[in-house]
Amino acid sequence: MSYWDCVEYRIRHGVLELIAGLALLKVEGVKGAGLRAGQGDERPKRKNITRGIRAHVEEGKITLFLQVYADFEAEFLSVAETVQQKVKEAVEGMTGLPVVAVDVEVVGVNAP
């Protein structure tokens, strides 16, 4: 039996939501619900990065719900698929826990 077989750790939902929000920042064509276009290029605040993102953990499996604003003329389906891929990779890579779903809801469009 190794040390890791005896160790249990917990991750707060807020940490999972922050990881997802930071991954979302790297996707072109979309902004998180708390990061509408026109807010300038200043570094976003943590509360804005996680706004519109919810994490649910059940039996060691993570489900994420993201509300996003797509950029005008962005192809919604393509952007949503990229968001799902990038967020899943980031959360699984940092936590080691499986992400079973990343639900993306486009709640608005950022004007050009």
Side-chain angles (χ1 to χ4, degrees):
M1 178 185 283
S2 75
Y3 170 78
W4 291 109
D5 293 334
C6 302
V7 175
E8 178 181 327
Y9 75 98
R10 296 176 193 192
I11 302 172
R12 291 182 183 256
H13 290 181
V15 173
L16 299 172
E17 293 161 0
L18 183 57
I19 294 168
L22 292 171
L24 185 60
L25 288 175
K26 297 180 180 183
V27 178
E28 287 188 39
V30 70
K31 299 248 187 304
L35 301 172
R36 298 286 311 270
Q39 291 183 338
D41 291 332
E42 63 189 50
R43 185 174 181 182
K45 296 180 176 154
R46 181 183 188 277
K47 69 178 181 177
N48 291 339
I49 292 173
T50 59
R51 184 175 293 147
I53 300 174
R54 296 294 167 258
H56 177 73
V57 181
E58 188 172 326
E59 297 180 13
K61 297 176 184 171
I62 302 169
T63 302
L64 295 157
F65 305 91
L66 288 80
Q67 294 180 329
V68 300
Y69 286 84
D71 290 347
F72 182 73
E73 295 185 354
E75 186 181 332
F76 289 3
L77 181 58
S78 175
V79 169
E81 288 173 345
T82 303
V83 167
Q84 289 173 321
Q85 175 189 5
K86 296 294 185 186
V87 168
K88 180 177 179 171
E89 288 173 1
V91 173
E92 286 182 341
M94 292 185 73
T95 66
L97 297 173
V99 174
V100 295
V102 179
D103 294 337
V104 178
E105 177 184 9
V106 177
V107 295
V109 177
N110 290 319

